Amino acid sequence: MKPQYWIRWLSQQGAPRLALRTQARRGDLFSQLMGGNGLDDPYPLIERMRGRGKLQRTPIAIATFDHALARSILRDSRFGVRATQSFNVPRPLQELGRRFPLPPNPVDPPSMLVIDPPEHTKMRKPVASAFTPRAVGRLRDRVETVTEQLLDGLSSDGSADLIADFAVKVPIAIISEILGFPESDQDMFLAWGDSMSPLLDIGISWRAHRTALLSMEVMNGYLDAHIARLRRTPGEDILSSLVTGGELDDHALKATASLLMGAGFETTVNLIGNGIAQLLAHPGQLERLRAEPELWPNAIEEILRFDPPVQTTARTALTDAEVEGVTVRKGTTVVLSLAGANRDPEVFADPMRFDVARANAKDHLTFSNGIHVCLGASLARMEGAYALRGLFERFPELKLDGPPRRRQLYTLHGYEKMPVRLGPKVPVPEPTTV
Ligand code: HEM
């Protein structure tokens, strides 16, 4: 194992891990939330923290659970995304960690997710323009076909794990289409996604960090060969158009491909899984969708609001900034709880109620806001709608067959197992547009 792996872990994960554990033991709610107590159900802790004010200084970071404040910080040019993992780690240790670069990946520059303008604009523009109406139209056809094939493959009156057998398979097929990956490699991407998604959390174990970095190395080699192949024989996929467009060099292409892989897959699987769980937990809402199927697009927004696949993000003050009467010093990280913002009673009436007809459900912050707003939001909504509507229409008597199990991650919030009895399968309904 390379020595830089140790240094990275120590500076970015080990030190915050120790701090989170110590503070959680001393009763700090924020450390309890980020450090593991809220993995199955973070909402009671979020509500306790909301009661303590709009902008809260915790021993670990400044945090907000307030919708208006989170939204305004996301849109504020005094805040950026660079080095948001600082979390009170002594500066020399942070610098040391940054001195050892890793292979291109979603959470290090030049990934657009973690860079500020003007570099951010340069990285985002070509990707945004590669999502052309033609490219997205092709993806819609693919989402529809993949969903139908998967539903056909689930047996009438059988049992299934709806995460492994359904929820992961829709987004992995779509992201493979975007990146021009062969279908035969999908299991490998699933394994990489699994091992790299903890990197979005704070204070992960050395073991989880090491596994993630080993996958990163393997993925790097794979992407080198894949990009060289696309350069020789480009396909009709979005990555091919980025490769031939010539605006991004190989390092930037690999960072972008790995970001699209993670952002496009690890989130959408949770939208589908969380959606199944909420609809099964609220049979009255499912009944309403059966009676009024035109509510499906709004139901997707309510699922995104109520149980967001990405619970939190963060910004760092680029300069001393006055916020809510508090001076946030340059370099300080502010944690923005997207899940907390989505249940802010100032914006959402009776926020703990799951209501597929909620008029302003789409005002959630699940896709973030400002210049980093999710590039794949409409694609994710489309995947969620086809998958969930298709599933509940084909299997109207679907029931849980044991408790679903949550993934033990904080930032990415979803299920790893969902055992169900499918019940009888009804014939394919008339084609629908969602
Ligand atoms: C339900 C599914 C999804 C959720 C909840 C989600 C959520 C998010 C969030 C919260 C951010 C911004 C983070 C921040 O501001 O710090 C983001 C950024 C991004 N997302 Fe998504 N995402 C989803 C699906 C997708 C899909 C399907 C794609 C592409 C195929 C995608 C591509 C991206 C990219 C490229 C960025 C970076 C944008 C930038 O930094 O400028 N996402 N996403």
Side-chain angles (χ1 to χ4, degrees):
M1 180 62 40
K2 297 177 183 169
Q4 66 260 40
Y5 285 7
W6 262 106
I7 294 168
R8 280 285 290 230
W9 178 76
L10 199 65
S11 66
Q12 296 194 341
Q13 300 289 350
R17 183 176 173 84
L18 186 65
L20 280 173
R21 289 187 157 191
T22 312
Q23 295 301 338
R25 266 200 306 274
R26 289 185 186 155
D28 173 47
L29 295 181
F30 180 77
S31 304
Q32 290 176 8
L33 181 66
M34 306 298 279
N37 291 26
L39 297 186
D40 286 334
D41 181 9
Y43 301 107
L45 271 171
I46 288 176
E47 288 317 307
R48 284 175 69 193
M49 292 209 69
R50 185 194 308 288
R52 297 182 168 192
K54 287 195 171 183
L55 195 66
Q56 305 174 30
R57 259 182 215 287
T58 80
I60 302 291
I62 296 183
T64 185
F65 299 82
D66 183 87
H67 187 284
L69 190 53
R71 187 173 180 279
S72 83
I73 291 175
L74 287 167
R75 301 173 73 84
D76 189 335
S77 59
R78 294 173 304 170
F79 288 87
V81 289
R82 245 177 221 276
T84 46
Q85 302 239 337
S86 50
F87 293 101
N88 291 355
V89 175
R91 200 161 288 276
L93 197 56
Q94 283 180 44
E95 292 305 327
L96 192 63
R98 273 196 274 282
R99 230 183 281 160
F100 295 102
L102 299 177
N105 68 76
V107 293
D108 278 324
S111 159
M112 73 177 92
L113 193 62
V114 290
I115 56 175
D116 296 321
E119 289 83 6
H120 173 259
T121 322
K122 279 189 218 141
M123 286 294 285
R124 180 166 166 127
K125 208 167 137 246
V127 184
S129 33
F131 275 83
T132 57
R134 190 153 160 260
V136 175
R138 221 182 22 251
L139 292 174
R140 178 181 282 276
D141 293 344
R142 184 86 182 115
V143 173
E144 202 174 347
T145 313
V146 168
T147 311
E148 283 309 320
Q149 282 170 350
L150 287 169
L151 292 170
D152 285 345
L154 294 173
S155 56
S156 194
D157 277 328
S159 53
D161 169 7
L162 280 183
I163 301 301
D165 300 336
F166 185 64
V168 299
K169 294 201 169 167
V170 180
I172 201 78
I174 301 312
I175 209 66
S176 299
E177 180 84 15
I178 290 176
L179 299 173
F181 290 154
E183 231 178 290
S184 51
D185 289 345
Q186 287 184 5
D187 284 347
M188 192 166 66
F189 309 141
L190 282 180
W192 293 343
D194 229 28
S195 53
M196 283 197 267
S197 41
L199 287 176
L200 288 176
D201 281 357
I202 311 159
I204 63 172
S205 68
W206 159 244
R207 200 192 168 91
H209 185 78
R210 193 184 64 147
T211 310
L213 267 45
L214 287 173
S215 288
M216 213 182 258
E217 298 271 8
V218 180
M219 186 182 71
N220 188 42
Y222 179 93
L223 286 176
D224 272 331
H226 183 60
I227 288 172
R229 198 166 45 240
L230 295 186
R231 189 159 278 130
R232 284 193 306 273
T233 39
E236 291 209 39
D237 55 277
I238 286 175
L239 184 57
S240 284
S241 71
L242 290 172
V243 169
T244 52
E247 285 174 83
L248 306 177
D249 63 20
D250 272 21
H251 192 81
L253 281 168
K254 286 191 280 179
T256 301
S258 68
L259 172 65
L260 287 172
M261 220 188 300
F265 169 67
E266 290 294 332
T267 50
T268 313
V269 59
N270 293 346
L271 162 60
I272 299 171
N274 295 353
I276 299 170
Q278 291 311 328
L279 290 168
L280 289 177
H282 298 90
Q285 298 291 310
L286 202 49
E287 270 316 305
R288 181 138 191 214
L289 284 168
R290 282 201 182 105
E292 299 169 69
E294 66 281 6
L295 280 177
W296 267 107
N298 202 65
I300 299 300
E301 301 302 330
E302 179 67 349
I303 292 163
L304 287 162
R305 178 194 78 83
F306 193 78
D307 201 20
V310 179
Q311 290 268 305
T312 188
T313 186
R315 293 294 184 263
T316 298
L318 301 173
T319 171
D320 286 358
E322 200 66 17
V323 180
E324 289 287 319
V326 174
T327 305
V328 180
R329 294 260 171 244
K330 181 178 173 183
T332 305
T333 299
V334 183
V335 172
L336 311 169
S337 169
L338 305 176
N342 287 356
R343 292 189 182 209
D344 185 339
E346 297 279 327
V347 179
F348 301 103
D350 198 0
M352 304 301 157
R353 192 163 48 88
F354 178 70
D355 176 5
V356 295
R358 182 182 291 279
N360 68 344
K362 66 172 187 346
D363 292 342
H364 60 73
L365 289 185
T366 297
F367 290 119
S368 189
N369 207 284
I371 61 168
H372 290 275
V373 68
C374 177
L375 243 167
S378 49
L379 176 60
R381 288 177 164 116
M382 186 208 322
E383 290 182 49
Y386 271 113
L388 291 169
R389 182 172 178 179
L391 179 71
F392 284 104
E393 286 187 349
R394 295 290 290 281
F395 294 97
E397 291 176 37
L398 177 67
K399 286 195 175 44
L400 280 178
D401 190 22
R405 197 166 69 225
R406 282 275 185 199
R407 288 179 87 182
Q408 293 301 294
L409 298 175
Y410 178 70
T411 305
L412 293 172
H413 181 68
Y415 289 91
E416 64 182 13
K417 223 174 175 39
M418 192 168 303
V420 295
R421 301 281 319 158
L422 290 162
K425 176 153 56 175
V426 302
V428 187
E430 286 298 298
T432 46
T433 308
V434 286

